[in-house]
């Protein structure tokens, strides 16, 4: 349990940590990272009264995840950010072991937040089948304050064949009804999504479930459901998939099913699951639609339970969010591209000719490719190479356990790279394939013996 008071009592410790963070040579320049402590999933993404609100799973003291609360930053332009402190503390019986992930839904000029209150009982339990509550809680808010924590669903409302892992609600509105999509794990260790239905955003009744008729992991976390160009997509994070040569290389995945669904008739057909990212650090993506009708995605640039790590721990912080990306649909597939605001952090432009070296870590680089093989050095000891239809990201030997990732791509037409001090986001074929990773090389040096690049130096984003 971490209420505001306990948090403030820890403040001295926390401000010491904040000073330490500032000393980190790996600190980021254009990504959202925590002031100190641990960050994971983006939560409650929305645009409200002209401001974008970005919340995230936040564990300030990074010792005991029971202090998981919702950190908060806001921005109007994705360049100037404000650190807004904490929205939700785990300060009630309903969420005493963590204010877990959730989302925002704006209605009647109010933000309705739905999230999971994590509760663990004292005693010897497995905390999967027993000893745990995952309460679905609602807050009505202006983004900064809320009235009360209202219990919407608890263990008694979830189907009886499920474990106690039922979490991460997301709302979708259709034909006058509100549907809540929640990730879950069955007693038979099958991942699935539960759908609840409501007329008023207060009373939800069980509606249907979405699952595969083949094995596809034991748990589905962080579902998101939305429509682009009249096509429906179900994003989720399955856990428990076996790795294949060019697929599912991380411990857990983040991807989507194209889905044909009739919510009123409770019928659906899932298309092929496609990963949203092929790098080392991408999980728990969440999307929202803004007032310009853009579907924007932000993900956690991290990976739970991975066997690689981050040297930032020494400086008292871990993880960041990806840059915001706009989703679009091409040939039935979701593509991700940096939102256009990212162009506003561009500073100087140069044409980096074949063989020329840019001696810094922070840049944006764009190339057109006509070759069927190439090598690009992202750092002197980190490379991205393409040969025989396989793209390989090789992290060298200084990326704290990250080694190589490979993806099959028939042809590569264009490449766009965002490189921050300790992160890489690589967009291929206008966002058809993306590779996102933390990187901790000390050897700056961006060059290619095969391709010319348009290179931009970049300004930092500002936090006040
Ligand atoms: C995904 C996740 C969610 C959960 C949250 C807890 O990374 O495990 O399912 O709500 O993190 O921090």
């Amino acid at each position: 349990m971490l209420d505001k008071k306990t948090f403030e009592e820890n403040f001295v410790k926390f401000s010491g940590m904040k000073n330490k963070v500032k000393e980190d040579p790996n600190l980021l320049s254009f990504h959202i990272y925590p002031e100190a402590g641990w960050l994971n999933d983006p939560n409650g993404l929305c645009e409200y009264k002209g401001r974008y609100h970005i919340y995230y799973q936040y564990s300030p003291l990074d010792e005991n995840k029971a202090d998981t609360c919702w950190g908060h930053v806001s921005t109007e332009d994705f360049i100037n950010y404000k650190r807004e402190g904490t929205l939700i503390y785990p300060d009630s019986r309903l969420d005493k072991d963590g204010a877990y992930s959730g989302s925002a839904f704006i209605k009647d000029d109010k933000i309705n937040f739905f999230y999971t209150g994590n509760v663990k009982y004292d005693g010897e339990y497995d905390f999967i089948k027993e000893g745990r509550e995952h309460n679905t809680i609602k807050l009505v808010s202006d983004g900064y304050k809320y009235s009360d924590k209202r219990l919407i669903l608890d263990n008694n409302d979830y189907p009886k064949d499920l474990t106690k892992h039922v979490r991460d609600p997301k709302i979708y509105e259709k034909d006058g009804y509100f549907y809540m999509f929640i990730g879950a794990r069955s007693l038979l260790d099958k991942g699935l999504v539960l759908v609840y239905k409501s007329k008023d955003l207060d009373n939800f009744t069980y509606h249907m479930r979405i699952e595969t008729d083949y094995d596809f992991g034991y748990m589905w976390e962080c579902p998101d459901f939305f429509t682009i160009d009249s096509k429906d997509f179900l994003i989720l994070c399955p856990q428990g998939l076996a790795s294949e040569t060019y697929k599912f290389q991380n411990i857990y995945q983040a991807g989507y099913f194209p889905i044909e669904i009739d919510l009123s008739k409770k019928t659906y057909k899932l298309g092929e699951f496609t990963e949203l990212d092929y790098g080392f650090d991408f999980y728990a993506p969440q999307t929202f639609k803004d007032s310009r009708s853009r579907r924007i995605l932000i993900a956690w640039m991290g990976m739970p339970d991975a066997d690689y790590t981050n040297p930032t721990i020494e400086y008292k912080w871990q993880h960041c969010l990806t840059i915001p990306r706009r989703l679009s649909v091409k040939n039935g597939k979701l593509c991700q591209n940096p939102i256009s605001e990212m162009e506003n952090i561009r500073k100087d432009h140069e044409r980096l000719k074949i063989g020329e070296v840019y001696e810094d870590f922070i840049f944006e680089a764009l190339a057109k490719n006509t070759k069927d093989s190439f090598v690009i050095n992202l750092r002197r000891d980190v490379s991205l190479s393409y040969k025989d239809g396989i793209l390989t990201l090789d992290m060298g030997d200084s990326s704290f356990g990250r080694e190589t990732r490979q993806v099959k791509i028939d042809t590569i037409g264009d490449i766009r790279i965002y490189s921050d001090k300790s992160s890489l986001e690589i967009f291929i074929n206008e966002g058809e394939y993306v590779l996102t990773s933390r990187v901790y090389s000390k050897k700056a040096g961006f060059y290619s013996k095969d391709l010319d690049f348009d290179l931009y130096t970049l300004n930092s984003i500002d936090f006040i």
Side-chain angles (χ1 to χ4, degrees), residues 38-40 237-239 249-254 277 279-284 300-308 310 318-319 402 405 436 438:
W38 166 285
L39 166 154
N40 58 295
C237 295
Q239 300 188 323
Q249 293 174 57
N250 292 334
I251 176 167
Y252 306 138
Q253 274 57 54
D277 200 278
F280 292 86
D281 298 279
F282 181 97
Y283 199 69
W300 172 28
M301 204 191 292
M303 179 59 58
D305 306 327
D307 55 8
Y308 35 91
N310 304 297
Q318 268 201 87
H319 305 305
R402 292 165 186 78
R405 286 290 178 263
T436 303
R438 297 307 296 275

Side-chain angles (χ1 to χ4, degrees), residues 40-41 57 65 68 100-101 116 167-168 221-222 283-284 300 304:
N40 58 295
D41 316 358
Q57 288 286 280
K65 289 273 273 147
T68 299
Y100 275 12
S101 282
T116 302
R167 57 178 177 264
D168 313 332
E221 293 192 312
C222 302
Y283 199 69
W300 172 28

Side-chain angles (χ1 to χ4, degrees), residues 134-386:
H134 272 170
N135 298 309
T136 303
I137 303 169
K138 173 181 168 178
L139 311 175
V140 180
S141 174
D142 60 357
Y144 303 95
K145 303 180 285 340
Y146 53 86
S147 42
D148 55 341
K149 293 185 173 176
R150 189 164 167 195
L151 181 65
I152 295 291
L153 300 170
D154 67 12
N155 284 354
N156 299 318
D157 301 301
Y158 307 132
K160 295 293 164 254
D161 64 327
L162 295 194
T163 63
K164 304 292 184 257
H165 282 217
V166 178
R167 57 178 177 264
D168 313 332
K170 182 88 204 285
I171 304 285
Y172 176 80
E173 183 179 7
K174 176 130 184 147
D175 301 333
Y177 288 100
F178 305 102
Y179 295 93
M180 183 191 284
F181 290 70
I182 313 181
R185 171 176 184 163
S186 81
L187 287 170
L188 296 174
D189 280 338
K190 190 168 169 44
L192 66 148
V193 169
L194 301 175
V195 185
Y196 284 75
K197 185 177 179 182
S198 170
K199 199 70 201 144
D200 57 10
L201 281 182
D202 284 313
N203 301 290
F204 283 84
T205 49
Y206 177 73
H207 185 62
M208 66 187 285
R209 60 173 73 194
I210 302 173
E211 57 193 344
T212 48
D213 52 15
Y214 48 90
D215 281 348
F216 204 68
Y218 59 81
M219 169 74 195
W220 290 0
E221 293 192 312
C222 302
D224 194 346
F225 180 89
F226 52 85
T227 309
I228 303 181
D229 298 347
S230 316
K231 290 195 164 43
D232 294 330
F233 295 92
L234 178 66
I235 284 184
L236 45 92
C237 295
Q239 300 188 323
L241 301 184
S243 232
E244 297 173 22
T245 316
Y246 301 116
K247 269 171 140 181
F248 309 154
Q249 293 174 57
N250 292 334
I251 176 167
Y252 306 138
Q253 274 57 54
Y256 65 92
F257 288 107
I259 179 170
E260 282 168 28
I261 188 164
D262 187 328
L263 281 163
S264 62
K265 295 197 184 114
K266 306 185 190 182
T267 55
Y268 67 94
K269 191 165 160 269
L270 294 172
E272 192 190 337
F273 183 83
T274 305
E275 287 173 86
L276 280 162
D277 200 278
Y278 297 88
F280 292 86
D281 298 279
F282 181 97
Y283 199 69
Q286 189 176 95
T287 74
F288 70 106
K289 195 170 171 181
D290 78 349
S291 55
R292 290 158 61 182
S293 281
R294 300 182 293 182
R295 174 71 46 189
I296 298 176
L297 176 148
I298 297 177
W300 172 28
M301 204 191 292
M303 179 59 58
D305 306 327
D307 55 8
Y308 35 91
T309 173
N310 304 297
T312 58
I313 295 173
E314 203 191 312
Y315 292 88
K316 305 290 179 195
W317 70 287
Q318 268 201 87
H319 305 305
C320 64
L321 299 178
T322 64
I323 57 173
R325 303 158 181 195
R326 182 179 186 168
L327 290 181
S328 56
V329 180
K330 195 165 70 184
N331 302 328
K333 282 182 72 181
L334 284 179
C335 296
Q336 302 169 62
N337 285 291
I339 55 168
S340 56
E341 285 89 331
M342 287 305 296
E343 288 166 27
N344 300 336
I345 63 166
R346 286 177 180 168
K347 213 161 43 180
D348 300 323
H349 169 255
E350 68 180 86
R351 186 84 187 150
L352 194 75
K353 294 260 188 256
I354 287 180
E356 281 176 359
V357 187
Y358 180 65
E359 300 279 358
D360 201 349
F361 295 95
I362 302 170
F363 57 86
E364 178 194 351
L366 300 101
K368 291 271 172 243
N369 173 53
T370 48
K371 306 203 164 155
D372 51 19
S373 74
F374 59 75
V375 181
I376 303 165
N377 271 73
L378 303 161
R379 307 284 186 259
R380 288 195 187 272
D381 55 350
V382 176
S383 66
L384 182 73
S385 55
Y386 183 57

